[in-house]
Amino acid sequence: MKIKIGSSEFKNPIFAASGTFGYGEEFSRIIDINKLGAIVTKAVTLKPRKGNEGLRIAETPAGMINRIGLENVGLDAFINEKLKFLSSLKTGIIINIAGETKNEYVALAKVLGGLAGIHALEVNVSCPNVEKGGIEFSQDLIQFKELIKAVRKATEMPLIVKLSPSAGDILTFAKLARDEGVDAITVSNTFKASLIDTKSQKIYIQGGLSGPAIFPLALSNVIQVCKNIDIPVIASGGIHSVDTALQFFIAGAKAVQIGTFNFIQPDIALQIIKGITTFMREKKLSSINQIIGSLP
Amino acid sequence: MERKIFFEKARLKENRKIGHNFYLLKFITSVNPVVISPGQFVDLRIRDNHDPLLRRPFSIFNYEKGIMSVLYKIQGRGTGMLSSLKKGDMIDYIGPLGNGFHPFKIGKTLSVAGGIGMAGLFYLQKIFNSIPLLIGLNEKSDALALLDLLKESRIQQNRVHIAVMEKTPEFFTGTATDLLQTFLKRTKYDLILSCGPEAMMHSVYKIAVKKNIATQFLLERIMGCGMGVCQGCTVKVKEKGRLNNKLVCKDGPVFSGEEIVWT
Ligand SMILES: Cc1cc2nc3c(=O)[nH]c(=O)nc-3n(C[C@H](O)[C@H](O)[C@H](O)COP(=O)(O)OP(=O)(O)OC[C@H]3O[C@@H](n4cnc5c(N)ncnc54)[C@H](O)[C@@H]3O)c2cc1C
Ligand SMILES: Cc1cc2nc3c(=O)[nH]c(=O)nc-3n(C[C@H](O)[C@H](O)[C@H](O)COP(=O)(O)O)c2cc1C
Ligand code: FES
């Protein structure tokens, strides 16, 4: 089940998605996280962030809306307090980075790109929850291109760009990122979503929708991007079963990230690894690559 | 040492109505009671399908001979569906989660619960049965049903004091905080543990501050993951003169009254 992204090899293509797995410690008390192909960390920003005030999550049919606002410990504390545990694991480590300015992203890429025990950086240009944050980069093509160019120049580490599905034509952004020489594209982050409180007639929550509800939407984007782009695509959005993970692989994704469903079923990633192994055995396939992109 | 967190499918032993407003759910567990601290919770997946999607947190009400129980009230869809589960059905839980009550000297400690908030205080009561537990309920029928439940759960009744809003000769008439005031008039306490609606806990805090009594509150928040990864369940706290976020699921659910930023 091995796959490669840039120069990094991962033992399998089942990853935990950013923001849904912390820095691995909590899940390690429940499941054997060493079995995962990779863990994508919660977004790391240059300075610690306190995140958004008020209600941060709400449930929707088969989904949830979050507006966490990138709360995280910041680069220094990440390196001093979190990285040691992560590097002790036998799984791939991908650091999700976010910033408010191009320089912040570049600074993060320079520092993290030079550290041992990290296998890739995932640039989060797509968080819909921070007013000044990534979403601006993912809405303006020129800014986006400059950001990716600068981050690419800052590090030789495998670079993944995670796109927003709510910022315009996702394929256009994917092509721009490819042209700047990134190693892979994650399709995609959460979908911009809202709820209104009918009692007060005010917005109840506005944030990003995730969970099983978004699976068909994300799949449609993955199919479109994979058809038109030749660098690896990592699929994210609504995975909740072996079958949904397989659909992403068939569509052409080289790896998949499991997000919200980790909360619902903490061993979902392990179940999917097991299920895909069984699927391959039954179909007498020797490599996951025989499934990837098998959609005619 | 980090305690083990269980994640398993459990068979229901029982799920029945207690009085007019509460339900008791019992399930078979492989959790060893020595790992349970009073005030900890379990995160239940109510159904195998995707609606409701998220797990729901419930305080550990009791543990006896391999059976864990939670006491709950119907608040919405999730708890409504929970109430329709039957003996023999399977339910999937993660727990024990959170830290429970902070270590304290039993000395002069008092517990105060508002309504279903009492669920978070019984296991403590069972272990340290010398602590008076004051409970505020709306209806007399609930109070009577609760007394039966305590007997059945082997939780000592003689330290449990119930206040009922409905006027009735058997019980103190008023709220949990009214009852608290009468206790504080008679005896000097140095710690109050409390769980209930946020407004009630805030009143308890204000009363305690006036009398210089330390406090611990079991807080509730809507939870995404229940184990400290989603950052969805934050509470604002004062820490060394600064405002910080803490997670109700992982850093709590119990916080001291002084650190909570009351709104
Ligand atoms: C640590 C902890 C321990 C708890 N222990 C108990 C317990 O022992 N017994 C019990 O009956 N309840 C307990 N609760 C509250 C319980 O989790 C909620 O009542 C339940 O999740 C509501 O689900 P629902 O689908 O029925 O309601 P929903 O339809 O989701 O919501 C109905 C109403 O409940 C509120 N609500 C939803 N989720 C929560 C939540 N997690 N915390 C507080 N309010 C919420 C909503 O804002 C809404 O007003 C506890 C909560 C926490 C955080
Ligand atoms: C609570 C929460 C926090 C998240 N935080 C981040 C983040 O910090 N960076 C990021 O790139 N994506 C973040 N995401 C998005 C997920 O990584 C994932 O792409 C998205 O939720 C869709 O996948 P899912 O439906 O499997 O959850 C977050 C999602 C959730 C639910
Ligand atoms: S519920 Fe996810 S961090 Fe507390």
Side-chain angles (χ1 to χ4, degrees), chain A residues 37-53:
Chain A
I39 293 171
V40 187
T41 65
K42 174 76 195 159
V44 176
T45 54
L46 206 51
K47 294 269 159 343
R49 283 186 61 100
K50 282 190 181 162
N52 288 328
E53 297 285 321

Side-chain angles (χ1 to χ4, degrees), chain A residues 17-20 42-43 57 64 66 68 70 96 122 124 126 162 188-190 210-212 214 236-239 257-261 263, chain B residues 230:
Chain A
S18 176
T20 64
K42 174 76 195 159
I57 48 180
M64 68 180 272
N66 88 79
I68 306 300
L70 297 182
N96 185 275
E122 183 180 64
N124 174 10
S126 51
K162 183 169 181 181
S188 67
N189 211 310
T190 52
S210 65
I214 68 170
S236 160
I239 297 177
Q257 297 181 356
I258 298 158
T260 302
F261 223 71
F263 306 158
Chain B
C230 77

